[in-house]
C-alpha cells in the first residue's frame, strides 16, 4: 500500500506550510528563495512547446474516427466547442466581477520578471492599449519553424501543429507508423513532465516562501479568494448550465450525479479524470446510451470537452492579470478566450498538464509574464480535484445529450438505472474502447 507521505498532494501541502512559515518568520530568507521557484518554472517552460505540439497533432490526427461516424462526431465536436467556450466566457466574467487578484502587490515583480516579454507584448498593442490585430495575426506565421520552438512562441507552434495534424489526418493509414511514433514520443514527454512534477513541492515551497517573505502574509487572502471563486464557478456551472442542458433533454442532473457518485469519488481520490474513463463508458451505457455513442463521445471529450479546465484557465489568467496590475481591454480578453479555446485542448496527459496549458496560454498572449504562474504553485493542487470532477461530469452530460439527440438512447434502461435497477456491468472488449488523449487536470 502506498505510504501517505509519498502522495504528491501531501508533499505539496507540507511544502506550502513550510514556505508560509519561512516567509513569515524569516522574510529575507524567504525572499531569497525566488530562484528555487524560478528553476521549477523554467523546467515547466522547457516542456511547453513539445507537449503542446504533440498533443494538438495527435488530437487532430486521431479525428479520423470522427469522420467515419459522420453526423455523431460532428455534433459532438460542435457541442464540445459551444460548451467549453461558454465555460471560458463564464470564468472570465466571474473573475472580472469578483476581482480575486485585486490587492496582490506584485507590480514591481512583474516588471522585474522579464522586461523582454513586456517589450514583445507592446508590439501587439497600440498607444491606447488596444490590440494591433495586423501585427498579432502576421506574427502567428513563423518564418522559421525551428525558431518558433527555440523561442517558445506558442502561437507559432500551435499553427504549425494544426497544419501538421491536418496533413497527417488527410494522409491517413499510410502514415500510421509516424502517428504511432509521435504517440510514443508524446508518452516520453509526459514521462519527463511526470519527473519534473516530482519537484513541485520544492517549487511550491520556494514560490510560497518568496511571496510571503516579499509581500507579507496578507498575500494568502487573494489566493484563498481565487480558490473560492474557482470552486463556486464550477459549482454554478454544473448545477445551472449543465442542469439546464439536461432539463432541455428531459433528463435529471440529480439522478445522473447519484448514478456516477462512485466515479466522482474515484476522481476525487486520485485527482485524475483518467482513472474513471473505462467506468464512465460502462456507466453511460447502463444509463441508456448506446455503446457506440458512449465509446466515442467520452474518450473524445477527454481532449475536447474540458469544462472544469476551461473555467480554471480563464479565472487564473484574469487573476494573474489583476495580481500583476496588467489591465486587459475587452478585445484582449476576447483574444484570450480565442487562444484558450485552442490551448485548453492541449490539457491532456498527466498531473500538472493544466499548469502546462496555463503557462502556454501566457506564453502565447505575451501580455502576462509566464513566470507569474509561480504565484499559483501553492494552490494549483487544491483546484485539481475540482477541475477533474467537473470535466468528468461534463463529459457524461455530453454523452447523454448526443445519445438523446441521435435517437441512440434507451429510455427504459435509463428509468431502470435511476430507480436502482441498472443492468449488470458488462465486460467490454478492449478493442471496443477507443484510446483517447487523457486529461488529468
Amino acid at each position: 500500500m502506498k505510504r501517505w507521505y509519498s502522495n504528491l498532494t501531501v508533499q505539496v501541502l507540507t511544502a506550502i506550510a513550510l514556505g508560509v512559515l519561512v516567509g513569515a518568520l524569516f522574510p529575507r530568507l524567504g525572499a531569497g528563495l525566488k530562484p528555487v521557484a524560478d528553476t521549477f518554472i523554467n523546467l515547466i517552460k522547457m516542456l511547453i512547446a513539445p507537449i503542446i505540439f504533440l498533443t494538438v497533432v495527435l488530437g487532430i490526427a486521431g479525428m479520423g474516427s470522427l469522420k467515419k461516424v459522420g453526423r455523431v462526431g460532428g455534433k459532438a465536436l460542435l457541442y464540445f466547442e459551444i460548451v467549453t467556450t461558454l465555460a471560458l466566457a463564464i470564468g472570465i466574467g466571474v473573475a472580472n466581477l469578483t476581482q480575486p487578484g485585486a490587492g496582490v502587490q506584485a507590480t514591481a515583480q512583474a516588471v522585474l520578471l522579464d522586461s523582454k516579454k513586456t517589450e514583445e507584448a507592446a508590439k501587439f498593442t497600440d498607444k491606447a492599449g488596444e490590440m494591433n490585430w495586423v501585427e498579432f495575426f502576421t506574427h502567428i506565421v513563423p518564418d522559421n519553424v525551428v525558431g518558433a520552438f527555440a523561442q517558445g512562441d506558442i502561437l507559432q507552434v500551435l499553427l504549425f501543429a494544426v497544419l501538421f495534424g491536418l496533413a497527417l489526418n488527410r494522409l491517413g493509414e499510410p502514415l500510421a507508423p509516424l502517428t504511432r511514433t509521435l504517440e510514443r514520443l508524446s508518452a516520453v514527454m509526459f514521462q519527463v513532465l511526470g519527473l519534473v512534477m516530482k519537484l513541485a513541492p520544492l517549487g511550491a515551497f520556494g514560490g510560497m516562501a518568496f511571496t510571503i517573505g516579499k509581500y507579507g502574509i496578507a498575500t494568502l487572502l487573494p489566493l484563498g479568494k481565487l480558490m473560492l471563486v474557482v470552486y463556486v464557478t464550477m459549482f454554478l456551472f454544473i448545477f445551472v448550465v449543465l442542469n439546464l442542458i439536461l432539463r432541455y433533454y428531459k433528463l435529471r442532473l440529480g439522478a445522473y450525479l447519484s448514478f456516477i457518485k462512485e466515479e466522482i469519488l474515484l476522481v476525487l481520490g486520485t485527482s485524475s479524470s483518467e482513472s474513471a474513463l473505462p467506468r464512465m463508458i460502462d456507466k453511460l451505457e447502463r444509463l441508456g446510451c448506446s455503446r457506440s455513442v458512449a465509446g466515442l463521445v467520452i474518450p473524445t471529450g477527454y481532449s475536447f470537452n474540458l469544462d472544469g479546465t476551461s473555467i480554471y484557465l480563464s479565472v487564473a489568467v484574469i487573476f494573474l492579470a489583476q495580481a500583476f496590475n496588467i489591465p486587459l481591454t475587452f478585445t484582449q480578453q476576447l483574444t484570450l478566450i480565442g487562444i484558450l479555446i485552442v490551448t485548453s485542448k492541449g490539457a491532456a496527459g498527466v498531473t500538472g498538464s493544466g499548469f502546462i496549458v496555463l503557462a502556454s496560454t501566457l506564453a502565447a498572449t505575451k501580455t502576462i509574464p509566464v513566470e507569474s504562474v509561480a504565484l499559483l504553485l501553492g494552490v494549483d493542487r487544491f483546484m485539481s480535484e475540482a477541475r477533474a470532477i467537473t470535466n468528468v461530469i461534463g463529459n457524461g452530460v455530453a454523452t447523454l445529450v448526443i445519445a438523446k439527440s441521435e435517437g441512440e438512447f434507451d429510455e427504459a434502461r435509463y428509468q431502470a438505472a435511476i430507480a436502482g435497477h441498472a443492468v449488470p456491468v458488462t465486460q467490454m472488449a478492449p478493442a471496443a474502447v477507443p484510446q483517447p488523449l487523457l486529461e488529468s487536470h
Side-chain angles (χ1 to χ4, degrees):
M1 185 175 177
K2 192 175 181 180
R3 298 181 184 276
W4 64 269
Y5 53 78
S6 64
N7 183 280
L8 185 61
T9 301
V10 173
Q11 294 173 359
V12 171
L13 291 177
T14 304
I16 290 169
L18 291 174
V20 171
L21 285 175
V22 169
L25 299 177
F26 309 101
R28 184 173 296 181
L29 174 61
L33 290 173
K34 184 175 183 288
V36 176
D38 288 348
T39 301
F40 178 73
I41 297 302
N42 286 337
L43 286 170
I44 292 289
K45 288 168 62 181
M46 173 183 73
L47 299 172
I48 290 174
I51 284 180
I52 291 297
F53 172 77
L54 290 168
T55 303
V56 172
V57 167
L58 292 172
I60 294 175
M63 287 172 61
S65 60
L66 294 183
K67 290 182 178 178
K68 294 175 185 176
V69 297
R71 188 177 64 252
V72 175
K75 186 177 290 186
L77 280 180
L78 179 62
Y79 174 91
F80 294 160
E81 290 306 321
I82 291 173
V83 176
T84 52
T85 302
L86 180 61
L88 288 169
I90 290 172
I92 286 181
V94 171
N96 278 299
L97 183 66
T98 57
Q99 298 281 310
V104 181
Q105 303 301 313
T107 307
Q109 183 189 6
V111 175
L112 293 173
L113 279 172
D114 201 331
S115 59
K116 182 180 178 182
K117 285 182 175 58
T118 304
E119 292 170 6
E120 289 177 344
K123 73 182 181 182
F124 295 136
T125 57
D126 57 25
K127 292 181 180 179
E130 293 295 324
M131 206 71 176
N132 187 327
W133 293 105
V134 175
E135 289 289 341
F136 181 79
F137 284 112
T138 54
H139 178 78
I140 292 175
V141 182
D143 55 6
N144 186 323
V145 171
V146 177
F149 280 89
Q151 296 169 20
D153 196 314
I154 299 303
L155 279 183
Q156 294 182 350
V157 171
L158 276 172
L159 175 65
F160 181 65
V162 169
L163 294 175
F164 196 95
L166 288 172
L168 200 58
N169 184 286
R170 292 186 67 178
L171 291 170
E173 189 59 33
L175 285 187
L178 175 59
T179 303
R180 288 193 291 271
T181 299
L182 291 175
E183 287 172 348
R184 295 187 182 103
L185 183 58
S186 178
V188 171
M189 293 307 300
F190 278 117
Q191 280 293 321
V192 174
L193 177 59
L195 293 174
V196 169
M197 289 307 295
K198 290 183 182 298
L199 298 175
L202 277 177
F205 170 74
M208 190 59 72
F210 166 72
T211 302
I212 301 301
K214 183 79 172 178
Y215 301 111
I217 199 77
T219 311
L220 291 177
L221 184 61
L223 292 177
K225 188 176 180 182
L226 170 66
M227 288 177 53
L228 180 63
V229 168
V230 170
Y231 270 81
V232 170
T233 305
M234 290 185 186
F235 180 87
L236 292 175
F237 182 82
I238 291 171
F239 288 93
V240 177
V241 177
L242 296 184
N243 188 24
L244 289 174
I245 291 173
L246 286 178
R247 279 181 175 272
Y248 180 80
Y249 286 92
K250 296 181 173 56
L251 298 170
R252 289 158 42 204
L253 177 67
Y256 161 64
L257 293 179
S258 176
F259 192 71
I260 64 165
K261 60 180 180 295
E262 292 164 348
E263 286 65 40
I264 292 175
L265 291 173
L266 178 63
V267 171
L268 178 63
T270 61
S271 297
S272 170
S273 53
E274 171 184 347
S275 60
L277 173 68
R279 292 170 61 102
M280 280 296 291
I281 293 176
D282 185 78
K283 276 291 184 76
L284 268 298
E285 184 186 353
R286 292 165 61 190
L287 202 54
C289 302
S290 69
R291 173 167 293 194
S292 60
V293 170
L296 170 69
V297 177
I298 287 287
T300 307
Y302 268 62
S303 286
F304 292 93
N305 186 44
L306 306 173
D307 302 331
T309 303
S310 297
I311 291 171
Y312 165 74
L313 290 174
S314 55
V315 174
V317 168
I318 300 299
F319 169 82
L320 291 175
Q322 294 166 354
F324 286 82
N325 287 332
I326 300 173
L328 296 177
T329 65
F330 180 69
T331 52
Q332 285 175 318
Q333 293 193 32
L334 286 180
T335 305
L336 270 176
I337 292 178
I339 293 172
L340 283 167
I341 288 171
V342 180
T343 55
S344 63
K345 302 303 182 288
V350 295
T351 300
S353 56
F355 204 70
I356 279 279
V357 173
L358 176 59
S360 70
T361 303
L362 299 183
T365 58
K366 296 183 183 297
T367 303
I368 305 166
V370 177
E371 291 82 356
S372 66
V373 297
L375 195 62
L376 300 176
L377 270 174
V379 295
D380 183 74
R381 291 290 297 184
F382 287 110
M383 293 183 281
S384 62
E385 289 86 356
R387 293 199 298 264
I389 288 172
T390 306
N391 290 338
V392 165
I393 292 172
N395 280 324
V397 170
T399 306
L400 290 168
V401 167
I402 301 301
K404 263 268 189 179
S405 65
E406 283 296 306
E408 297 280 344
F409 186 82
D410 189 326
E411 187 69 35
R413 201 157 76 232
Y414 169 76
Q415 294 297 338
I418 63 175
H421 306 296
V423 295
V425 178
T426 54
Q427 297 297 320
M428 298 180 67
V433 183
Q435 296 300 312
L437 291 170
L438 299 175
E439 196 278 340
S440 294
H441 302 295

